[in-house]
Amino acid sequence: MKIPKRLQPLVDDGLIDEIVFQLQSGKEAQVYVVRCGSELRCAKIFKEASKRSFKQAVQYQEGRQVRNSRRARAMSKKTRYGQREQESAWLNAEVDALYRLSSAGVRVPEPHGFVDGVLLMEMIVDEEGGPAPRLDDVKLSEEQAIEYHHRIVVDVARMLSAGLVHGDLSEFNVLVGREGPVIIDLPQAVDAAGNNNASRMLLRDVDNMRRSFGRYAPSLLNTDYGLEIWSLYEAGELYPDYPLTGTFDRDNASVDVSDLLEVIEDVREEEQERRRREQEQDEEDRDLSQ
């Protein structure tokens, strides 16, 4: 196929040998399957900020450190240079998160480099060796749902132990690969210690997973993994592979349960509103394409 303009430098430098096909064209990025030597990988091309629907909300950027004082001032003043630097920081966030989480044992695509705004990473495959489907596109048995939900919850806890919260985890950001679920799309990942919205985002992430897998395993709808994980984190007791139970003792909690429950309710309302906006945007996109 014709080489996309953004991938041409990587082809010229020998990092990509062949563009096989376009895998996805979403609101935030385009993803191509490419051949690198004997391996098939994915090349993710991020769209320009003005063309993305995810607008780098302030709540996601809070807590991200910029060491260079000149860059920090420019970004805060939103100068042209500052906007370029902010965009660069946003794109690099996913790369940094992938390397950090991969090292922490979280099942994410293995990164293979970030060049000229293009992220090269592992291609997640299904049983037949083709591109793995999103969680939203598969049907699971009750047993599979319970197993996959457990893996995701463990990975969420590992992420938090590594200091990160995904921030936008849903059935659209999980691939069902040959060996199980894989978490993807991390440019909005937030610093758990430095972001005041971290607890809200983690509870939303876990609640999204609870409801998604709960469609196939109703028993999961009665679990409290989000509250359990965050309370352990706040108490300094969370560590990778902590034996989670999915229960939370509200009577003897070391955190303010009423505040957390209010957060959960707010999270659910926010998620309903977000899904409504996404549906409206999808309808607009379909109308424009006709």
Side-chain angles (χ1 to χ4, degrees), residues 32 48 57 69 87 95 133 208 214 241 245 273 276:
Y32 291 85
E48 297 176 6
S69 59
E87 176 72 358
V95 184
N208 285 343
D241 299 326
T245 65
E273 177 62 20
R276 183 188 65 78

Side-chain angles (χ1 to χ4, degrees), residues 141-261:
S141 66
E142 182 176 2
E143 183 180 3
Q144 284 177 315
I146 291 174
E147 178 188 351
Y148 288 178
H149 176 265
H150 174 72
R151 293 194 195 183
I152 289 291
V153 166
V154 168
D155 273 346
V156 168
R158 286 175 178 166
M159 289 177 68
L160 189 56
S161 296
L164 291 177
V165 174
H166 187 287
D168 193 35
L169 189 60
S170 73
E171 61 269 35
F172 303 107
N173 293 327
V174 174
L175 297 180
V176 181
R178 182 159 50 199
E179 299 175 355
V182 181
I183 295 173
I184 62 171
D185 293 341
L186 291 150
Q188 73 294 316
V190 302
D191 179 85
N195 192 303
N196 290 322
N197 298 291
S199 62
R200 178 186 299 272
M201 293 178 186
L202 180 125
L203 292 173
R204 181 177 63 195
D205 286 351
V206 175
D207 191 57
N208 285 343
M209 293 294 93
R210 181 185 64 85
R211 288 186 290 104
S212 293
F213 289 107
R215 291 181 296 169
Y216 306 103
S219 61
L220 295 175
L221 297 175
N222 298 318
T223 57
D224 266 338
Y225 283 104
L227 289 169
E228 180 186 13
I229 291 171
W230 187 258
S231 64
L232 288 168
Y233 172 73
E234 281 207 324
E237 299 174 1
L238 184 66
Y239 57 84
D241 299 326
Y242 184 97
L244 300 169
T245 65
T247 59
F248 183 73
D249 186 353
R250 290 171 170 79
D251 294 330
N252 297 306
S254 60
V255 295
D256 191 328
V257 178
S258 61
D259 283 352
L260 285 178
L261 292 177

Side-chain angles (χ1 to χ4, degrees), residues 66-76 81-82 85 88-89:
V66 179
R67 292 188 177 90
N68 185 295
S69 59
R70 176 171 175 258
R71 290 178 61 197
R73 288 195 301 271
M75 289 166 69
S76 65
Y81 167 74
E85 290 300 310
S88 176

Side-chain angles (χ1 to χ4, degrees), residues 1-146:
M1 65 174 292
K2 183 179 179 181
I3 300 175
K5 183 178 179 180
R6 295 277 300 279
L7 294 182
Q8 186 66 58
L10 283 76
V11 173
D12 294 340
D13 291 342
L15 297 174
I16 293 176
D17 295 304
E18 179 187 1
I19 314 299
V20 183
F21 60 87
Q22 183 172 342
L23 178 62
Q24 176 187 343
S25 180
K27 299 173 184 176
E28 318 301 331
Q30 293 175 313
V31 180
Y32 291 85
V33 173
V34 299
R35 184 174 61 81
C36 304
S38 61
E39 293 185 11
L40 289 180
R41 294 176 179 171
C42 283
K44 184 174 184 178
I45 305 174
F46 294 95
K47 292 184 178 180
E48 297 176 6
S50 60
K51 298 179 181 178
R52 295 201 303 264
S53 61
F54 199 102
K55 298 303 182 183
Q56 305 183 18
V58 174
Q59 62 179 351
Y60 289 94
Q61 298 180 48
E62 180 183 322
R64 293 186 178 178
Q65 300 298 318
V66 179
R67 292 188 177 90
N68 185 295
S69 59
R70 176 171 175 258
R71 290 178 61 197
R73 288 195 301 271
M75 289 166 69
S76 65
K77 294 179 179 178
K78 299 187 183 299
T79 64
R80 185 173 299 177
Y81 167 74
Q83 290 175 343
R84 289 199 304 268
E85 290 300 310
Q86 190 170 50
E87 176 72 358
S88 176
W90 178 259
L91 299 182
N92 277 287
E94 175 158 22
V95 184
D96 294 342
L98 282 176
Y99 278 105
R100 186 170 170 182
L101 296 178
S102 183
S103 297
V106 179
R107 187 62 181 103
V108 294
E110 181 183 356
H112 291 290
F114 184 57
V115 182
D116 294 335
V118 177
L119 172 61
L120 280 175
M121 58 185 172
E122 172 192 7
M123 174 180 165
I124 307 301
V125 299
D126 60 15
E127 292 286 352
E128 286 73 41
R134 297 183 307 182
L135 176 59
D136 185 56
D137 295 324
V138 301
K139 292 184 178 180
L140 303 172
S141 66
E142 182 176 2
E143 183 180 3
Q144 284 177 315
I146 291 174

